[in-house]
Amino acid sequence: MTSSHEPKNKRKADARTKLLEAALSVIRAKGYSATSVDDLCRAAGVTKGAFFHHFKTKDDLAVTAADYWSETTGALFKGAPYHDHEDPLDRFLGYLDFRKALIAGAVPEFTCLVGTMTQEVYDTSPTIRDACADSICGHADTLVADIAEAAERHGITLPCSSESLALHTQAVIQGGFIVAKARNEPQQAIDSIDHLIRYVRLLFNLSA
C-alpha cells in the first residue's frame, strides 16, 4: 500500500510503472488481444481508476509500453559485455551470443513484447504498429556501426547494406520466437540464432 505521506506525483509514477511492467509480462504471456485492462490492473496491483488516470485506453498503454520496452531492454544491451571487444566483428558476434544467452525459462519470459504486439495489430492499430517498428528498428540501428566497421576492418564487401543486415538479425530472432511459440520449444529460437551466427561468419570468411 502506498503511504499517504509520499508525494502525490510519486504515487502516480509508481502506479504507471507497475502497469507498464505488468504489460511487459502479461501481454507476452497472453497476447495483446487477449489481455484485458482488468488483467493488467490485477497483475499491477492497481485499480482501474489508476489505469485510466494514466492511460486513456489499452491501446494508449500499448504505445507507451513499446517505448518502455525499448528503454528497459536498451539499458540491458547497452551494459552487455559484448561491447568490451576491441574487434567490431567480435562485438557483432558477441551480440548474437548474448541474444542466445537470453533465451531461458518459459517462452513468454524471453520473447519480445513489440514483436508479439506487431503480429496482432499491424493492420488494425497503426499507432501501436509504428511504436513497435520504432522499437525493433531502433534496436537494429545499434548494430549498424559495428557491422560497417567490421566489414571495413576485415576487408569484406557485404552483399547488402549494414542497415539491411542489422534488420535481418531482428527478422531471424523474431522469427525464431514465433517458431518457439508455435512448437512451445525454446530450443527453436536458439537454433535460429545459431544459423544466423553461421551465416554471419560465412559473410566474413570465417569458419562456420
Side-chain angles (χ1 to χ4, degrees):
M1 181 178 294
T2 302
S3 168
S4 60
H5 298 293
E6 292 180 358
K8 185 177 180 182
N9 61 348
K10 186 177 188 303
R11 293 201 299 273
K12 290 181 180 178
D14 286 346
R16 181 178 184 274
T17 300
K18 287 178 182 178
L19 284 163
L20 291 171
E21 289 288 344
L24 267 54
S25 59
V26 177
I27 293 173
R28 285 190 290 167
K30 297 184 66 172
Y32 180 69
S33 298
T35 296
S36 67
V37 171
D38 286 334
D39 291 332
L40 295 167
C41 292
R42 185 162 47 249
V46 303
T47 65
K48 285 181 92 170
F51 180 96
F52 289 111
H53 175 80
H54 293 287
F55 305 103
K56 294 179 180 178
T57 63
K58 190 177 81 166
D59 282 8
D60 183 36
L61 175 136
V63 170
T64 307
D67 294 337
Y68 185 70
W69 175 260
S70 296
E71 292 171 7
T72 54
T73 58
L76 172 68
F77 285 102
K78 186 175 181 179
Y82 63 85
H83 295 291
D84 296 335
H85 293 296
E86 188 273 333
D87 188 325
L89 179 55
D90 289 337
R91 292 198 294 270
F92 184 31
L93 290 169
Y95 162 79
L96 297 176
D97 284 332
F98 185 68
R99 290 302 304 253
K100 189 169 67 169
L102 292 176
I103 299 173
V107 170
E109 295 175 32
F110 64 79
T111 49
C112 178
L113 174 78
V114 292
T116 297
M117 292 198 297
T118 299
Q119 293 165 43
E120 294 189 53
V121 305
Y122 76 96
D123 191 45
T124 57
S125 180
T127 305
I128 299 175
R129 180 194 64 211
D130 291 347
C132 292
D134 287 344
S135 179
I136 293 170
C137 296
H139 181 68
D141 285 346
T142 67
L143 305 175
V144 172
D146 281 343
I147 294 171
E149 187 180 341
E152 182 177 359
R153 178 163 179 167
H154 291 269
I156 299 297
T157 300
L158 295 173
C160 60
S161 67
S162 299
E163 290 81 4
S164 180
L165 180 55
L167 278 172
H168 178 65
T169 66
Q170 304 314 298
V172 172
I173 291 167
Q174 294 291 344
F177 291 159
I178 291 173
V179 178
K181 288 176 179 178
R183 302 189 68 173
N184 195 29
E185 176 51 68
Q187 186 62 41
Q188 298 297 318
I190 294 171
D191 290 348
S192 292
I193 297 178
D194 277 336
H195 289 310
L196 178 57
I197 290 170
R198 284 190 284 270
Y199 171 67
V200 170
R201 291 182 64 86
L202 288 169
L203 282 179
F204 283 86
N205 295 326
L206 300 177
S207 168

